Amino acid sequence: ASSGGQMGSVNIMRILIIAASAFLAVACAGPGLKDDTVSVTERSLLSGEALFGKAVETTSIPDPGMFVLDDEMRAFVAEHVDGTRAARERMRRLLSAMIESGLMSLDYDDAKTKTARQTFHDRVGNCMSFTALFVALAREAKLDVTFQTVEVPPIWYADSDLVILNNHVNALVKQNFGSRVVVDFNVTELKGEYETHEVSDEYALALYFNNVAMDALRHGNLEQSFRLLKKSIETYPDIAGNWANLGVIYSRSEEDDYAIAAYHKALDLDDRHRPSLTNLASIYKSRGDSERAEYYARQVRRYQDQNPYYHYYNALAAYNNGNLEVAEERLTRAIELKDTEHKFYQLQGLIAERHGDRKMALESFEQALDLAVYSDARRIYDNKISVLSGAR
């Protein structure tokens, strides 16, 4: 969602079970710079009177029943899991049943946020939908399952400073003796050893409301979007991205003081929240406040220079455009900052191959293979190594 050059939170979900609250923005870092000229209270922010001339109510928004099962869903679990005492075996049987019945390969649509019951019957939804479905069925199978957020690296658009920040959620199943199993229906490029945090059902429900709020915003229903976003904040007030989304809604209506207040609230919760920092820079630039605009722009540059994925995606863009010299330069910087990312060595191998340096390409793909954890990525690298080895 954007207005006046500002970028806000949109939901870029990834295939299979990932519940993502993703933010489209320029990457930034650093603390916020308070603006004493803005005196909008949190109560005023959530009221909506500045936008609609009346307070926006949320009491009419029903509980969606994210995890509610019906008789058919309960029968599905009973058929495949009942009578099994060991939690590990119950989980194995549930996952096998979901695979065999097609519930692990539903039609993916990132614009459709559905409850567990809707997803089970419609066989379509986005990553939040799939996660809710698994959690609901797993709990019916008497498994100890929670949501957890996963801090995956940002993805930059080629030839642009815009990034997709995938802050997705997967399912964590806790078993005996401290054993934990992650059920993450993730695409290959997002798999890795990333920082995770367990989150509550209320957090997940807030993400659900945020998703449908952003869908309403995409369809031009500003008041409904505001109402749902307010409900999301009421459900779980401490998600920085929801306050940033609120700022985007205010920005679209040119209520910049309210937008600034919303972004600063987001920064109170997360002082490195990149969309908020970026959008503040945009607002202050449009206001002619060069000191504050430059402050936030400086944070952008600082973050970019220290972020290996920024350099990687610039290297990838240069490679795709045939500029191998720039690609090598940016990739070298990425590897200096993080030398354990298998994708970096994959690109290094591709660049070497383009140069005709098979020895370097082979060494790069072997290093990528050593670092890759998941079988699908390892298979790709192993096949490439076989081809290069045969070509020498």
Side-chain angles (χ1 to χ4, degrees):
S2 64
S3 176
Q6 296 181 58
M7 305 307 297
S9 305
V10 296
N11 292 285
I12 311 296
M13 303 291 187
R14 295 303 184 207
I15 289 177
L16 301 186
I17 298 188
I18 315 169
S21 179
F23 309 106
L24 185 60
V26 178
C28 317
L33 185 66
K34 286 291 186 180
D35 187 345
D36 295 333
T37 66
V38 174
S39 57
V40 177
T41 66
E42 188 174 309
R43 181 177 179 180
S44 295
L45 269 178
L46 290 174
S47 165
E49 287 187 63
L51 294 175
F52 310 110
K54 61 180 180 179
V56 173
E57 58 80 27
T58 59
T59 55
S60 63
I61 299 175
D63 181 347
M66 263 186 81
F67 312 112
V68 173
L69 283 76
D70 58 21
D71 290 342
E72 188 175 341
M73 296 170 75
R74 283 187 283 270
F76 175 85
V77 174
E79 177 185 354
H80 298 286
V81 177
D82 274 11
T84 307
R85 299 185 65 179
R88 186 181 298 275
E89 180 63 14
R90 289 200 303 276
M91 184 185 71
R92 189 194 68 77
R93 290 192 180 189
L94 176 62
L95 288 173
S96 295
M98 292 179 71
I99 292 170
E100 291 169 4
S101 64
L103 289 174
M104 300 287 259
S105 55
L106 307 180
D107 290 334
Y108 178 78
D109 188 335
D110 66 5
K112 295 186 184 300
T113 301
K114 294 175 175 286
T115 65
R117 183 168 47 193
Q118 291 169 331
T119 307
F120 182 87
H121 292 288
D122 297 346
R123 303 299 174 101
V124 64
N126 58 21
C127 302
M128 171 64 78
S129 312
F130 296 169
T131 307
L133 173 61
F134 176 77
V135 168
L137 294 176
R139 287 177 178 168
E140 178 67 14
K142 300 194 170 40
L143 295 173
D144 184 0
V145 59
T146 63
F147 290 89
Q148 68 173 5
T149 59
V150 185
E151 308 233 357
V152 298
I155 298 174
W156 269 264
Y157 281 111
D159 303 319
S160 172
D161 283 338
L162 298 181
V163 301
I164 300 172
L165 302 180
N166 298 285
N167 208 11
H168 74 262
V169 177
N170 57 27
L172 178 66
V173 182
K174 301 178 185 178
Q175 299 182 328
N176 293 335
F177 309 110
S179 173
R180 297 183 171 206
V181 177
V182 174
V183 179
D184 191 336
F185 301 75
N186 207 343
V187 292
T188 301
E189 61 265 27
L190 293 184
K191 289 180 176 177
E193 298 299 319
Y194 306 124
E195 186 175 352
T196 61
H197 305 278
E198 287 185 48
V199 295
S200 65
D201 286 0
E202 288 76 21
Y203 189 105
L205 181 58
L207 291 184
Y208 171 91
F209 283 124
N210 176 74
N211 290 354
V212 292
M214 292 302 97
D215 189 49
L217 186 63
R218 282 193 292 266
H219 286 87
N221 193 335
L222 197 67
E223 186 170 348
Q224 178 66 357
S225 178
F226 187 97
R227 176 177 290 107
L228 289 163
L229 190 54
K230 180 177 178 179
K231 182 70 172 179
S232 178
I233 291 171
E234 290 173 347
T235 302
Y236 198 97
D238 294 338
I239 301 175
N242 291 352
W243 291 96
N245 282 342
L246 200 65
V248 171
I249 290 176
Y250 277 113
S251 178
R252 283 196 162 197
S253 299
E254 300 183 349
E255 292 287 351
D256 284 353
D257 280 0
Y258 283 80
I260 288 171
Y263 296 139
H264 277 299
K265 174 61 181 178
L267 291 174
D268 287 342
L269 296 168
D270 177 4
D271 63 7
R272 290 172 56 88
H273 191 252
R274 298 156 199 169
S276 299
L277 290 163
T278 300
N279 292 345
L280 285 168
S282 178
I283 288 178
Y284 287 123
K285 183 177 181 180
S286 69
R287 286 186 161 192
D289 189 336
S290 58
E291 179 184 358
R292 286 189 171 85
E294 174 55 27
Y295 170 82
Y296 292 109
R298 191 163 57 246
Q299 307 311 311
V300 173
R301 294 191 295 269
R302 184 180 304 163
Y303 180 83
Q304 288 174 339
D305 183 59
Q306 294 301 316
N307 191 300
Y309 295 95
Y310 173 74
H311 296 287
Y312 166 74
Y313 283 106
N314 275 277
L316 184 60
Y319 169 80
N320 288 333
N321 290 328
N323 193 338
L324 299 186
E325 183 178 349
V326 172
E328 288 175 306
E329 178 184 337
R330 301 308 287 267
L331 187 60
T332 297
R333 177 61 176 154
I335 293 174
E336 284 176 356
L337 292 167
K338 185 173 183 178
D339 61 4
T340 58
E341 174 58 71
H342 64 90
K343 290 189 296 186
F344 295 177
Y345 295 98
Q346 178 192 28
L347 181 56
Q348 186 181 68
L350 292 172
I351 293 171
E353 195 175 18
R354 185 83 61 90
H355 277 309
D357 189 344
R358 289 176 180 169
K359 182 176 183 295
M360 178 65 178
L362 182 60
E363 291 174 355
S364 297
F365 279 105
E366 286 174 343
Q367 194 151 8
L369 179 62
D370 287 342
L371 293 169
V373 175
Y374 291 91
S375 58
D376 39 12
R378 292 180 60 82
R379 191 179 308 112
I380 291 170
Y381 301 150
D382 194 46
N383 289 340
K384 192 69 175 178
I385 289 167
S386 296
V387 171
L388 288 168
S389 297
R392 285 196 302 177

